[in-house]
Amino acid sequence: MKEPFRASSSHASTQYQVRSVDAEQQRCPSSSGVCECPACCLGAEFARVVNRTRSVHESWGFVRFKLPEGAARAVSFEDWEGLLKDSGLSETSLNVATCAAESEEEVVSEATVIKALEREDAATFDFESFRGRFSKDLARPVLRRDAEVIFRVLQQHRPDTTLQAQLQAAKDAAELPGGKGLLLLTAYSRNYAPGKVCETANRTYAERHGYDFECDVLPADEMLDAIAPRDAHTWYKVLMLRRAIAAGKHGFVVWIDADALVVDQEKPLEAFIAQAEGRDLIVQEDLSAECRINCGVMIFRRTSWCQTLLRLLWEGNLSRRHHCKAYYEQSALVRLLVEAGELDPRPRGRLQHRALSDKLCILPLRCLQTNRLREVQLEGDEQTFIFHPLFASENFAEDKAEALLRIDAAKRKDTAGVAFEFIF
């Protein structure tokens, strides 16, 4: 039997292990290790738990609790935070480590997968949620080789559940009713230095053009709680975008990162929307040729396709490495767009002009945002629209805030000489 993860607690009153289970050889929380009487564990209920720790990125496994009522609550998976609290634990108190393989498990059969898929709704299907339910049926984790079988079955027997099918169905769906005007969204944790600088300037820009503006400012821990089990704050943008589009109040919803500053306060967002010629999503190519697109500034039209895209993005497999680079929601979005046929599987060099697919508009570098300080233009036809600085220094947040303040001051002609000297 292979055990993917084991967890131990310093609290003697709460004994449990994170483990996989089969009918022949059971692992118990007891000191004896291997259960001599499988009957004592066969009736126990287990929960698949995604756990966020500092040392292990988004690990998961099965948890068996000492008390029956604890197991019952775990299976419902509706109050995991409360369950940990009642047990005297917190997420950071879990010590997760890999376990050695004892024997190879059989690969799941196609017949088993087909039977499990019979209860799945194609309109809301996503692999990660299905894997959670299916792993409970199997009483063990769904492994990579199992996933290969599942994807093969999906293609052959349930093509209506694939990402491509769901996005195609959304393309063919009637347009969402209502929605007027434009909403600008942003968010940041309270300890993020550039946040307030950009919020002030971007709110002024929105008011100037008659756009609505929403900004969430939260403690870092509360932001992570809102997106758990995802462990990168950047996923919060997906949560806000989904809520805004579902609300149905605006025809367009625009995301702007908390460290992205509108420099050209005169240029309306409608100028970029016009360039897209009716496409649903407008982004800019990324500085990294492998990552393809940048999620720092995105313009979404309120359509069924965008709503489905964001749902699949949110319900995907939790920001593990996607495509070529592990940039969380950005790389996850690249993967989705590739699978949807909106983006080529591999980059084909830098864009010289906009790139249009059925639903996607990609703008060339420095069209929607500028990432390098030396490339910022404060005047003329090539004036920078948004400055979204890229720093890799140890104190990158403070360095970003300083650069943004200087650019903002230069644009307002307060300390133009100092700022231009800093830029050039």
Side-chain angles (χ1 to χ4, degrees):
M1 182 180 92
K2 179 181 289 186
E3 290 186 332
F5 298 103
R6 179 175 61 238
S8 61
S9 168
S10 59
H11 299 267
S13 61
T14 308
Q15 300 175 10
Y16 61 89
Q17 276 189 313
V18 175
R19 60 198 173 76
S20 60
V21 182
D22 64 25
E24 295 181 359
Q25 187 177 29
Q26 305 278 338
R27 287 286 184 183
C28 289
S30 64
S31 58
S32 61
V34 178
C35 175
E36 301 297 336
C37 178
C40 75
C41 286
L42 286 175
E45 293 184 317
F46 301 86
R48 177 181 178 275
V49 175
V50 181
N51 170 48
R52 188 175 67 244
T53 68
R54 294 182 183 276
S55 59
V56 179
H57 179 66
E58 293 173 354
S59 58
W60 67 274
F62 290 87
V63 176
R64 179 178 186 269
F65 284 83
K66 181 179 180 182
L67 301 177
E69 55 267 30
R73 291 181 62 190
V75 169
S76 68
F77 202 60
E78 294 177 354
D79 188 21
W80 176 239
E81 183 179 354
L83 187 61
L84 287 174
K85 183 178 179 181
D86 293 346
S87 302
L89 298 174
S90 66
E91 288 177 304
T92 55
S93 70
L94 294 177
N95 180 20
V96 183
T98 57
C99 296
E102 296 183 6
S103 64
E104 290 297 318
E105 294 171 343
E106 294 183 1
V107 180
V108 67
S109 69
E110 290 193 6
T112 302
V113 176
I114 292 172
K115 183 176 180 180
L117 287 171
E118 289 176 355
R119 60 176 182 260
E120 297 295 323
D121 181 3
T124 58
F125 180 86
D126 72 274
F127 175 74
E128 182 65 19
S129 296
F130 171 72
R131 186 174 74 165
R133 293 186 291 272
F134 191 43
S135 62
K136 185 180 175 184
D137 291 343
L138 296 176
R140 66 169 177 80
V142 174
L143 306 176
R144 183 182 296 274
R145 56 181 178 271
D146 298 320
E148 294 174 356
V149 176
I150 294 171
F151 285 124
R152 184 167 65 247
V153 170
L154 287 173
Q155 292 286 350
Q156 296 175 355
H157 300 278
R158 287 296 302 273
D160 55 330
T161 61
T162 63
L163 296 176
Q164 298 92 325
Q166 292 184 68
L167 287 168
Q168 184 59 51
K171 282 183 182 181
D172 299 336
E175 290 299 315
L176 295 176
K180 295 182 179 180
L182 193 148
L183 170 64
L184 222 64
L185 291 178
T186 190
Y188 59 94
S189 56
R190 288 178 182 168
N191 62 342
Y192 191 53
K196 189 62 178 177
V197 180
C198 295
E199 179 191 354
T200 301
N202 296 344
R203 187 184 295 274
T204 299
Y205 170 78
E207 292 173 352
R208 182 190 296 266
H209 293 275
Y211 307 145
D212 288 332
F213 184 86
E214 291 183 12
C215 178
D216 281 4
V217 184
L218 302 171
D221 289 345
E222 289 187 17
M223 187 172 283
L224 284 175
D225 287 343
I227 61 173
R230 300 155 190 84
D231 64 354
H233 293 87
T234 54
W235 278 99
Y236 194 82
K237 70 180 70 172
V238 183
L239 179 63
M240 285 191 75
L241 284 163
R242 292 191 70 200
R243 288 173 177 172
I245 290 180
K249 296 180 180 179
H250 302 88
F252 289 89
V253 178
V254 181
W255 173 264
I256 181 167
D257 272 3
D259 53 5
L261 177 82
V262 177
V263 176
D264 186 353
Q265 294 269 328
E266 301 298 326
K267 190 168 188 175
L269 286 162
E270 286 83 356
F272 301 100
I273 293 172
Q275 291 184 56
E277 297 183 3
R279 270 61 181 186
D280 288 359
L281 174 59
I282 305 169
V283 294
Q284 180 180 290
E285 66 175 328
D286 192 73
L287 283 173
S288 167
E290 290 183 323
C291 206
R292 316 292 299 282
I293 62 173
N294 188 280
C295 289
V297 183
M298 300 182 287
I299 304 174
F300 288 84
R301 183 189 297 272
R302 185 177 179 271
T303 63
S304 296
W305 186 83
C306 281
Q307 199 169 42
T308 301
L309 181 74
L310 288 168
R311 176 180 64 80
L312 293 172
L313 180 61
W314 179 254
E315 296 175 350
N317 55 350
L318 304 178
S319 80
R320 294 185 187 280
R321 183 175 293 273
H322 292 291
H323 204 56
C324 302
K325 293 287 185 180
Y327 292 144
Y328 304 108
E329 88 297 337
Q330 182 166 298
S331 297
L333 180 59
V334 168
R335 182 182 69 91
L336 272 179
L337 293 172
V338 168
E339 293 189 16
E342 299 291 335
L343 196 61
D344 290 333
R346 293 291 172 186
R348 297 184 177 181
R350 288 297 181 195
L351 295 178
Q352 301 302 315
H353 307 283
R354 64 180 180 176
L356 300 177
S357 61
D358 193 20
K359 292 291 185 180
L360 178 66
C361 172
I362 307 177
L363 300 174
L365 288 175
R366 297 182 296 281
C367 182
L368 190 58
Q369 57 177 311
T370 298
N371 303 110
R372 296 188 179 99
L373 189 59
R374 65 177 181 272
E375 295 175 348
V376 174
Q377 299 290 327
L378 302 181
E379 299 178 317
D381 295 338
E382 301 298 322
Q383 182 175 177
T384 297
F385 177 56
I386 289 175
F387 176 42
H388 187 194
L390 174 67
F391 284 92
S393 59
E394 184 176 351
N395 300 315
F396 70 93
E398 290 73 16
D399 291 341
K400 282 185 177 184
E402 181 183 357
L404 289 161
L405 278 169
R406 287 175 177 258
I407 291 295
D408 188 44
K411 185 61 182 175
R412 291 186 287 105
K413 310 299 183 183
D414 291 344
T415 56
V418 176
F420 274 95
E421 183 180 355
F422 181 76
I423 296 169
F424 299 109

